[in-house]
């Protein structure tokens, strides 16, 4: 049972436009969410996170929005750049204990076209 | 500070063989997690070690095992390899406080191909 779902396997966006990557989760115990970016032949790198006490977290061109009632989060990249082309993974875990493994989605491949 | 180091980068094995993968965490990180990445399945959690003890285990058969040494370095072993074990195996480390305050830092992975 996929607890973290990224329903779009791929997304293409023009350079300079907004990229919106979506993620849904089913486990209501999840209260801490992260996005990772992965380039080919490299491991995933941490991008941005959000706690359930917030509905938005911003870091430069990257903003993550959380809608707890809908169990939905999204990553916005504005403006999109060719270097953003990568696979993006959404991840979640119940943050209370601090030692529960992260649960990852299957990833969305973003292609930013120059 | 050096990142997470995984060796080897690539490995080709035959069905039925066994394999050992190695991971050196970031200095000071005592938690090491292992994930399997296959096309279409994302990252599947294998196990996590902290202070030489397995703290969490994912839903994988007993052919998959691991251990952690006193210097926090970790190894994972897969016995009786099957074709379906072909995947990218990723190791990640974090501070003792766990992922709330310390996101996982991943290595570049070991690409295992079983023929």
């Amino acid at each position: 049972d996929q607890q973290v779902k990224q329903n779009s396997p791929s997304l293409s966006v023009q350079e300079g436009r907004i990229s919106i990557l979506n993620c849904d989760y089913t486990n209501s115990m999840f209260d801490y969410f992260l996005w990772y970016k992965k380039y080919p032949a490299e491991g995933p790198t941490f991008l941005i996170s959000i706690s359930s006490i917030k509905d938005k977290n911003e870091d430069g061109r990257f903003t993550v929005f959380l809608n707890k009632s809908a169990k939905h989060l999204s990553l916005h990249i504005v403006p999109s750049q060719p270097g953003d082309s990568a696979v993006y993974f959404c991840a979640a875990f119940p943050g209370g204990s601090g030692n529960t493994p992260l649960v990852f989605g299957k990833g969305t491949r973003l292609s930013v076209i120059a | 500070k050096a990142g997470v180091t995984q060796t080897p980068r690539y490995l080709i094995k035959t069905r039925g063989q066994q394999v050992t993968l190695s991971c050196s965490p970031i200095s000071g990180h005592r938690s090491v997690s292992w994930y399997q990445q296959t096309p279409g399945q994302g990252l599947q959690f294998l196990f996590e070690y902290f202070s030489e003890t397995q703290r969490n285990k994912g839903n994988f058969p007993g052919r998959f095992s691991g251990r952690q040494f006193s210097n926090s370095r970790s190894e994972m072993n897969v016995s009786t390899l099957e074709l379906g074990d072909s995947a990218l195996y990723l190791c990640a480390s974090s501070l003792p406080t766990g992922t709330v305050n310390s996101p996982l830092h991943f290595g570049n992975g070991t690409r295992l191909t079983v023929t």
Side-chain angles (χ1 to χ4, degrees), chain A residues 2-6 23-36 46 48-52 66 71-73 89-96 99-106, chain B residues 35 43 45 99-100 104:
Chain A
Q2 196 76 13
Q3 297 186 69
V4 177
K5 300 176 184 178
Q6 295 177 256
C23 178
D24 297 294
Y25 60 97
T26 58
N27 189 337
S28 58
M29 297 299 292
F30 288 151
D31 63 0
Y32 194 72
F33 306 88
L34 305 89
W35 285 92
Y36 281 80
F46 169 70
I48 192 169
S49 64
I50 188 167
S51 162
S52 60
L66 175 62
K71 294 192 177 67
H72 176 84
L73 64 157
F89 291 97
C90 171
F93 85 111
N99 61 4
T100 310
L102 275 178
V103 178
F104 283 84
K106 294 184 179 182
Chain B
Y35 286 81
L43 278 69
F45 173 73
T99 54
V100 172
L104 293 179

Side-chain angles (χ1 to χ4, degrees), chain B residues 31-83:
Chain B
S31 171
V32 174
S33 302
W34 289 89
Y35 286 81
Q36 180 195 65
Q37 185 190 6
T38 54
Q41 290 300 315
L43 278 69
Q44 303 284 310
F45 173 73
L46 281 155
F47 26 66
E48 184 216 354
Y49 287 86
F50 178 76
S51 293
E52 302 177 64
T53 301
Q54 187 180 87
R55 192 159 65 170
N56 287 293
K57 189 177 191 306
N59 189 25
F60 278 81
R63 300 185 297 106
F64 292 81
S65 63
R67 59 177 175 168
Q68 186 180 34
F69 302 94
S70 59
N71 61 359
S72 294
R73 192 176 70 83
S74 177
E75 289 181 347
M76 69 163 279
N77 185 277
V78 187
S79 63
T80 320
L81 283 166
E82 301 177 358
L83 294 178

Side-chain angles (χ1 to χ4, degrees), chain A residues 38-60:
Chain A
K38 185 181 183 300
Y39 293 118
E42 293 183 13
T45 54
F46 169 70
L47 195 56
I48 192 169
S49 64
I50 188 167
S51 162
S52 60
I53 62 173
K54 293 184 173 183
D55 55 17
K56 175 182 173 182
N57 188 27
E58 198 170 348
D59 184 1

